[in-house]
Amino acid sequence: MTTTQPDIARPSAVRSALGEARRLSFWAENAAPIGLLVLVVVFAALSPTFLSPGNIKAMLVAAAILVILGVAQSFVITTGGIDLSISATMTVGAVGFGLAWQAGAGFIASALLAIIASTVIGVINGLLIASGKVTDFIATLGTLSLATGAALILSAGKPIQVTSIELLRITTGSVGVFGYPIIIAAVVGVLGWFVMFRTRFGLHVQAVGGSEESAVANGISATRVRIAVYVISAVLAGLAALLLVARVGAAEPTINTSYLLNSIAAVVLGGVSLTGGRAKIVGPILGALLLTALANGLTLLGVSQFYQPVAVGLVVVLAALLTRFQKK
């Protein structure tokens, strides 16, 4: 007769999963997907229209710009930097597009000019930070003001109306519930993930953010990497500018600071370390979707827009507190 001893040394997979879920590191690592799932369940229960095809499509389209900016910030923040000028860079790109269109340039030429105008800001940021040794906070704060002023001067402070068939197709076209803006954002996300995790450059970005001295000792040019991430951020801001112009039908010369704050918030929610060296792309994308779903759900419930920034702030602060418990 044999007796079966309880398996104490080997906890079951279920027991192991439950143990992991009790750790704060689990919640820190998965703040964006868990938060997004909770919001979907709560808002779906409170509002019957939240999960309607029309509202889902509207949320995805609204999230497209923030997704692109979140990917852009991820490259910069992975190096331990931050781009405070990203929303102003987007505004410069929008104004550049509007002026070129107003002058009679076609859609392609206007779009290229928008991205080039934005890229100039990125090059200035990169040179100031990497070569000029100006701290990222001060450098991008300065270019934020510079870009804001340039947009207002070039447009005389007035919105530039744009009527473009191509932009109209971008705003109205879709594949099922997926509008063209979110498809463009998804392509940016896939390319961003590939560059970050499947190329030597992405490895260099993470190495510089983890320890610049060690990266340089291993032959990595930290200067080139830092310039490159700010240029990438600016190029993506220029692309986001096209979606912004398509969405509002005009090139607005005043910046929308909520894009700046929410792009950083999406990165924090996505689990990217603000001290650098810890890269994620999917996390910030989910963070952008979470913030968009939060704003949309509160609007459907009739909550005043004055309270929405408070809700976003609470979510971001909670996520920031959880980052203390991320696995190293």
Side-chain angles (χ1 to χ4, degrees):
M1 180 177 173
T2 59
T3 58
T4 304
Q5 295 292 333
D7 191 356
I8 300 174
R10 287 186 192 172
S12 66
V14 174
R15 212 177 302 160
S16 177
L18 289 173
E20 178 64 22
R22 292 191 190 101
R23 298 176 190 149
L24 284 174
S25 62
F26 172 83
W27 300 97
E29 296 287 334
N30 300 283
I34 292 173
L36 181 59
L37 179 61
V38 170
L39 284 182
V40 169
V41 171
V42 171
F43 286 136
L46 296 176
S47 173
T49 60
F50 183 76
L51 289 182
S52 66
N55 192 57
I56 291 175
K57 181 178 179 180
M59 280 194 291
L60 292 176
V61 170
I65 294 174
L66 188 55
V67 166
I68 293 174
L69 297 182
V71 172
Q73 285 282 18
S74 294
F75 277 89
V76 174
I77 291 177
T78 297
T79 64
I82 196 167
D83 189 356
L84 298 179
S85 66
I86 194 167
S87 58
T89 301
M90 182 171 65
T91 301
V92 167
V95 169
F97 181 92
L99 290 174
W101 182 263
Q102 197 176 57
F107 174 78
I108 299 298
S110 299
L112 287 175
L113 182 61
I115 293 175
I116 290 171
S118 296
T119 303
V120 170
I121 306 298
V123 172
I124 294 173
N125 281 333
L127 291 175
L128 285 173
I129 294 164
S131 300
K133 304 302 178 184
V134 180
T135 60
D136 53 282
F137 185 90
I138 297 299
T140 58
L141 186 63
T143 51
L144 182 154
S145 182
L146 173 67
T148 300
L152 290 170
I153 291 170
L154 291 172
S155 64
K158 299 177 181 178
I160 303 171
Q161 298 298 319
V162 177
T163 305
S164 166
I165 295 177
E166 292 83 359
L167 289 181
L168 183 62
R169 287 173 181 166
I170 290 175
T171 54
T172 59
S174 65
V175 178
V177 297
F178 301 102
Y180 287 163
I182 197 62
I183 292 175
I184 293 171
V187 171
V188 169
V190 171
L191 290 176
W193 181 90
F194 180 82
V195 170
M196 183 67 83
F197 298 109
R198 290 294 183 269
T199 67
R200 181 175 296 180
F201 171 73
L203 179 62
H204 290 179
V205 169
Q206 296 173 64
V208 170
S211 174
E212 185 171 336
E213 291 182 0
S214 298
V216 172
N218 283 281
I220 298 173
S221 173
T223 298
R224 291 180 181 177
V225 169
R226 291 194 183 280
I227 292 175
V229 295
Y230 283 98
V231 169
I232 289 172
S233 178
V235 169
L236 292 180
L239 177 61
L242 301 180
L243 298 184
L244 181 63
V245 173
R247 186 177 181 186
V248 302
E252 295 284 350
T254 54
I255 69 168
N256 188 336
T257 54
S258 66
Y259 281 119
L260 164 61
L261 301 176
N262 286 346
S263 68
I264 298 173
V267 173
V268 172
L269 287 167
V272 179
S273 173
L274 292 176
T275 57
R278 182 184 180 85
K280 285 191 176 184
I281 297 295
V282 176
I285 291 174
L286 293 177
L289 294 174
L290 185 155
L291 293 172
T292 305
L294 178 60
N296 179 274
L298 292 175
T299 300
L300 289 177
L301 294 178
V303 177
S304 170
Q305 290 187 349
F306 297 144
Y307 293 98
Q308 292 183 17
V310 176
V312 172
L314 290 174
V315 169
V316 173
V317 169
L318 178 60
L321 288 173
L322 285 174
T323 58
R324 295 177 53 206
F325 304 98
Q326 286 176 338
K327 293 177 180 178
K328 302 297 182 184

